[in-house]
Amino acid sequence: MTNPVRILVAKPGLDGHDRGAKVIAQGFRNAGMEVIYTGLRQTPEQIVHTAIQEDVQVIALSCLSGAHRYLFPKVMELLKSEGVDDIIVLAGGVIPEEDIANLKEAGIREVFTSGTPIKVMLEFINENTGPVGGVL
Amino acid sequence: MEQKNRELAAAKEQWEKNLREKILPRFPERKERFLTHSEIPVETLYTPLDTENTDYLEELGMPGEYPYTRGVQPTMYRGRTWTMRQYAGFGTAEETNRRFKYLLDRGQMGLSVAFDLPTQIGYDSDHPLSFGEVGKVGVAIDSLKDMETLFKGIPLDKVSTSMTINSPAAVLMAMYIVVGEKQGVSMEQLSGTIQNDILKEYIARGTYIYPPEPSMRLITDTFEYCSAHLPNWNSISISGYHIREAGSTAVQEMAFTIANGIAYVEAAIKAGLDIDEFAPRLSFFFNAHLNFFEEIAKFRAARRIWARIMKDRFGAKNPKSLMLRFHTQTAGCTLTAQQPDVNIIRVACQALSAVLGGTQSLHTNSRDEALALPSEDSVLIALRTQQVIAYETGVTDTVDPLGGSYFVEDLTNRVEKAAMDYINRIEAIGGAVRAIEEGFQQMEIMDSAYKYQLEIESEERVVIGVNRFQIEERSPQDLLRVDPVLEENQRRKLSQLKQERDPLAVSGSLDRLKEAATGTGNLMPLILEAVRAYATLGEICDVLRDVFGEYQQKAIF
């Protein structure tokens, strides 16, 4: 019996597009994961704080406003300064391909742009969270 | 008539037995059930039997006449086509001013301003929460100064301007009024729209600032001010667009929007306004999605429902109070990042449904919007799509060309009925505001959105390039980038403004606004005064935050 994956679905910045975040949150929950959703307008500080408090293994960041180039690396920076290196950070939203390399360099493990099926994300999470993996 | 219908019913039965059922074993239908996006069943065939109970004059009437099912004007596009109005804005006011002029030079008829998120949420560009967001999804406006730049060289008596601004709508409208004054254009001459629709922000779009009650007060203040001073200004654009983008069905989109409309009318009446004074300036904004005929039925049914509610429930007498006039935008959420040029075709179909549904103005999305803000070339194709429909296809040559289609009339009736069921459920909860507080609309939308996603993943719903007909692609070129330097420039301009303006005029006007906000009088004159003194948007909104408090959304999923 494995423990379910704990995952934080987070909306950094001022972006109000939460359809994608809510859809994946439901998908993750239905796959047996423990999902915490932050709601809108979270600062990178709030997201990192919640992730540590809730002891999650995965953070899924969603941003469709174009502010990902500033906000996503900021989350990574704060995690690092908190000494956290074992949380897998994933990203989604309207993210041009040319930005993906930079985000990965900042420590984002994978970027799932629009049109990615939930099952692809689930597979990725299961493959990368080791023995505590969720149920597909 | 009855004899004829009996003959018809018999003939249809024969057809069913002799033709349809015989070929079905050899040529089965593609699906067991055919459904619209709102899950209304679609039959193989429609005949006059499906509309035999329709009382033409009661249900449809003449265009320009109650209940306006066929259109709000007597001649519709034979007189003038809809207003082609592309939503645009990014970076700084200078940048967006250039894009506006580009569009006007190419035949666009009205402007539609996209503001960045800090502007929409009432933060100046130097607010900590604004970092990374300045100029991203729209133009950054910190003060009257930016607004002057935005409309430089664009005579406000010659264009109509729609502004997608909600919580701080009164402030942006005040800025527009003052820009007009400085150009020598009076308020009576200004024509345009503020979105000013807070309820759908709580439901779906997310750029709220204040709690519902003071937000509704700001809205009724603008209603009152507009009916007294801006006869050609739409004081609200009650919007289903974003509800649909958040994943609702067509029926939910229309029903939740009408329910919000009812809430605004009730708030205005409660504030002492006369219905026939403000109702003629209410306007609507809908989404044009992919299920072609259901979209057309939605637009037609919306006009009929609104006319009846205004007449029967609110006792409006002025015909203009009964007319549901609307803007349409094609569905951004249907655009795919895969094979982006295919989006041009999706947009064309959606735009056609809006036109066949009788829209008053239209925005067509650009092919590259699933990837970034649209490039100039993509915006041009989107505008040209409207021009082809308007000037080449002939669909504009008669009013409501699908009126009388057995299918479309039946579907219009069914969409109307399903929407009324929702509207009545919301009434039973205690109205739109109460239902929002309980999360009713939000939950309904979320369920529909999740279902839609599962349908795509199970391939029950086909999305070309995503789950069918995929190809290996090169990554797209020539996407628009907002230069990060613009954000720094914007903050520099803001700090310069703060040094140049008269600080006493600013603080005096803000103090007076604060005092008025604690009372019940109309806030528009005080907002105008603060704007004229070059108080910033953030300063004005902060004063109101102090008095009104801030809305906290419940994070439900």
Side-chain angles (χ1 to χ4, degrees):
Chain A
M1 188 69 191
T2 55
N3 290 322
V5 172
R6 283 176 69 76
I7 180 163
L8 178 69
V9 176
K11 287 288 302 172
L14 302 179
D15 177 36
H17 295 93
D18 57 4
R19 175 180 182 164
K22 287 175 167 177
V23 164
I24 61 159
Q26 287 182 84
F28 293 159
R29 183 173 58 196
N30 291 345
M33 296 183 184
E34 287 179 9
V35 185
I36 300 120
Y37 171 53
T38 61
L40 300 179
R41 288 195 211 169
Q42 299 290 302
T43 62
E45 289 80 4
Q46 287 170 314
I47 290 168
V48 168
H49 179 77
T50 309
I52 293 169
Q53 283 276 305
E54 295 282 350
D55 194 22
V56 299
Q57 291 134 289
V58 183
I59 303 175
L61 299 169
S62 163
C63 179
L64 287 78
S65 74
H68 59 271
R69 287 204 286 172
Y70 173 82
L71 293 166
F72 291 0
K74 190 94 190 155
V75 170
M76 298 314 300
E77 213 175 278
L78 289 165
L79 281 172
K80 205 171 288 170
S81 70
E82 292 288 332
V84 178
D85 58 3
D86 58 349
I87 296 182
I88 296 167
V89 183
L90 309 175
V94 178
I95 296 171
E97 201 165 300
E98 62 200 81
D99 289 353
I100 292 177
N102 281 340
L103 293 176
K104 285 190 169 171
E105 205 162 296
I108 305 274
R109 282 286 281 282
E110 193 52 88
V111 178
F112 298 108
T113 54
S114 82
T116 308
I118 297 171
K119 60 175 182 280
V120 171
M121 292 177 248
L122 285 173
E123 277 162 19
F124 184 91
I125 293 169
N126 281 319
E127 276 165 25
N128 289 277
T129 47
V132 288
V135 192
L136 257 181
Chain B
M1 197 70 175
E2 267 179 36
Q3 171 63 21
K4 276 249 183 276
N5 280 346
R6 270 198 298 277
E7 283 172 28
L8 182 54
K12 192 177 172 201
E13 206 175 312
Q14 286 295 312
W15 168 83
E16 184 79 35
K17 222 162 57 205
N18 297 340
L19 287 167
R20 183 163 180 267
E21 280 173 20
K22 273 193 190 138
I23 69 154
L24 278 181
R26 274 185 302 143
F27 303 104
E29 294 187 341
R30 286 178 287 110
K31 289 189 265 188
E32 215 166 284
R33 308 186 301 159
F34 290 78
L35 299 173
T36 66
H37 185 191
S38 309
E39 303 196 325
I40 294 170
V42 177
E43 307 301 333
T44 309
L45 179 72
Y46 290 83
T47 69
L49 293 171
D50 295 290
T51 55
E52 66 177 331
N53 295 322
T54 301
D55 181 330
Y56 181 85
L57 291 176
E58 279 280 310
E59 309 285 328
L60 297 157
M62 300 298 164
E65 280 182 7
Y66 184 82
Y68 304 99
T69 311
R70 307 207 60 188
V72 292
Q73 291 120 4
T75 61
M76 289 303 289
Y77 308 133
R78 283 169 72 98
R80 199 170 59 85
T81 65
W82 61 92
T83 303
M84 299 175 193
R85 193 191 292 282
Q86 298 296 89
Y87 185 48
F90 58 95
T92 60
E94 286 87 357
E95 222 90 7
T96 302
N97 177 267
R98 270 196 293 279
R99 178 65 70 90
F100 283 172
K101 287 177 175 164
Y102 173 89
L103 286 165
L104 290 170
D105 284 347
R106 280 155 188 78
Q108 171 161 288
M109 296 136 86
L111 296 174
S112 173
V113 189
F115 296 102
D116 71 359
L117 285 166
T119 306
Q120 293 189 50
I121 302 173
Y123 293 128
D124 286 339
S125 299
D126 58 0
H127 191 283
L129 286 171
S130 302
F131 280 69
E133 307 271 15
V134 175
K136 284 284 159 48
V137 303
V139 58
I141 300 292
D142 287 321
S143 75
L144 174 60
K145 192 123 199 165
D146 293 327
M147 204 71 162
E148 290 165 3
T149 308
L150 185 62
F151 292 102
K152 199 167 173 197
I154 299 172
L156 299 194
D157 54 345
K158 299 285 192 304
V159 292
S160 70
T161 303
S162 171
M163 293 190 271
T164 298
I165 194 76
N166 293 279
S167 272
V171 187
L172 272 299
M173 182 171 81
M175 289 182 185
Y176 194 82
I177 290 170
V178 178
V179 172
E181 274 172 20
K182 296 197 169 191
Q183 287 188 3
V185 178
S186 69
M187 283 194 265
E188 295 78 57
Q189 293 169 282
L190 294 178
S191 101
T193 308
I194 39 174
Q195 198 162 76
N196 206 19
D197 171 12
I198 194 66
L199 295 178
K200 66 90 176 54
E201 297 296 329
Y202 303 131
I203 295 176
R205 192 166 174 277
T207 70
Y208 43 76
I209 306 176
Y210 315 111
E213 201 176 311
S215 293
M216 294 300 266
R217 173 197 176 181
L218 280 172
I219 291 167
T220 52
D221 281 0
T222 54
F223 284 6
E224 186 181 40
Y225 195 83
C226 288
S227 46
H229 303 287
L230 292 101
N232 298 311
W233 195 266
N234 299 312
S235 52
I236 194 167
S237 172
I238 308 164
S239 305
Y241 183 81
H242 320 89
I243 291 172
R244 192 66 177 281
E245 288 293 295
S248 83
T249 66
V251 164
Q252 289 167 339
E253 174 198 356
M254 195 258 277
F256 296 167
T257 306
I258 300 276
N260 288 348
I262 292 170
Y264 294 123
V265 170
E266 283 182 334
I269 290 171
K270 205 171 143 205
L273 309 187
D274 178 81
I275 187 145
D276 285 321
E277 290 279 319
F278 68 86
R281 297 319 305 173
L282 305 178
S283 64
F284 287 81
F285 174 21
F286 290 114
N287 193 300
H289 211 277
L290 281 169
N291 199 262
F292 190 75
F293 291 107
E294 186 176 49
E295 293 303 290
I296 297 165
K298 175 186 77 183
F299 300 128
R300 299 174 86 244
R303 276 194 293 271
R304 185 154 74 205
I305 289 179
W306 186 248
R308 286 182 174 158
I309 289 172
M310 292 303 280
K311 185 167 181 257
D312 300 340
R313 175 164 172 175
F314 293 113
K317 303 262 182 319
N318 184 345
K320 288 200 158 66
S321 304
L322 312 178
M323 293 178 194
L324 181 144
R325 297 171 297 118
F326 67 100
H327 172 69
T328 309
Q329 179 170 339
T330 58
C333 60
T334 64
L335 302 177
T336 62
Q338 297 80 359
Q339 304 181 44
D341 284 350
V342 177
N343 290 323
I344 298 171
I345 321 302
R346 293 190 179 97
V347 167
C349 296
Q350 294 164 353
L352 184 59
S353 76
V355 169
L356 294 173
T359 195
Q360 275 58 63
S361 61
L362 179 61
H363 166 104
T364 33
N365 289 329
S366 296
R367 59 182 165 175
D368 47 1
E369 289 185 71
L371 301 158
L373 287 184
S375 67
E376 217 159 66
D377 288 345
S378 300
V379 171
L380 188 61
I381 295 173
L383 176 61
R384 293 289 183 256
T385 303
Q386 294 199 38
Q387 290 164 334
V388 168
I389 294 172
Y391 305 122
E392 295 187 4
T393 64
V395 297
T396 50
D397 292 351
T398 189
V399 174
D400 186 28
L402 291 177
S405 148
Y406 312 124
F407 175 43
V408 171
E409 293 300 355
D410 181 68
L411 194 54
T412 302
N413 293 341
R414 286 172 191 268
V415 167
E416 177 185 15
K417 189 180 169 304
M420 283 310 300
D421 286 347
Y422 261 121
I423 292 166
N424 291 334
R425 278 170 77 184
I426 290 170
E427 287 296 312
I429 294 171
V433 178
R434 187 67 203 279
I436 289 166
E437 284 166 351
E438 290 189 8
F440 172 73
Q441 295 96 322
Q442 298 91 311
M443 296 294 283
E444 290 286 319
I445 294 167
M446 220 168 56
D447 289 348
S448 299
Y450 190 58
K451 195 154 176 288
Y452 195 89
Q453 178 64 26
L454 294 187
E455 285 167 8
I456 292 173
E457 298 203 5
S458 68
E459 292 171 40
E460 192 182 322
R461 182 178 293 282
V462 175
V463 184
I464 307 301
V466 172
N467 62 12
R468 187 96 54 96
F469 311 116
Q470 301 94 320
I471 50 171
E472 282 297 319
E473 297 181 76
R474 284 189 324 140
S475 68
Q477 309 295 309
D478 305 324
L479 295 179
L480 183 122
R481 301 237 68 156
V482 178
D483 188 342
V485 171
L486 295 180
E487 180 158 342
E488 284 310 315
N489 289 345
Q490 182 66 19
R491 279 196 273 271
R492 215 175 16 253
K493 278 194 301 179
L494 176 60
S495 85
Q496 200 180 335
L497 169 89
K498 286 183 178 168
Q499 280 159 23
E500 287 168 359
R501 62 187 185 173
D502 174 358
L504 287 179
V506 174
S507 59
S509 67
L510 291 175
D511 288 346
R512 282 186 288 279
L513 174 62
K514 185 164 190 172
E515 202 190 313
T518 57
T520 56
N522 194 312
L523 296 179
M524 265 313 287
L526 295 132
I527 292 172
L528 273 160
E529 191 199 331
V531 161
R532 278 197 191 94
Y534 292 93
T536 66
L537 175 70
E539 289 165 340
I540 294 170
C541 290
D542 275 348
V543 160
L544 299 178
R545 276 188 184 96
D546 282 349
V547 181
F548 295 157
E550 291 187 66
Y551 179 74
Q552 296 297 332
Q553 188 198 46
K554 274 184 276 179
I556 28 175
F557 77 92

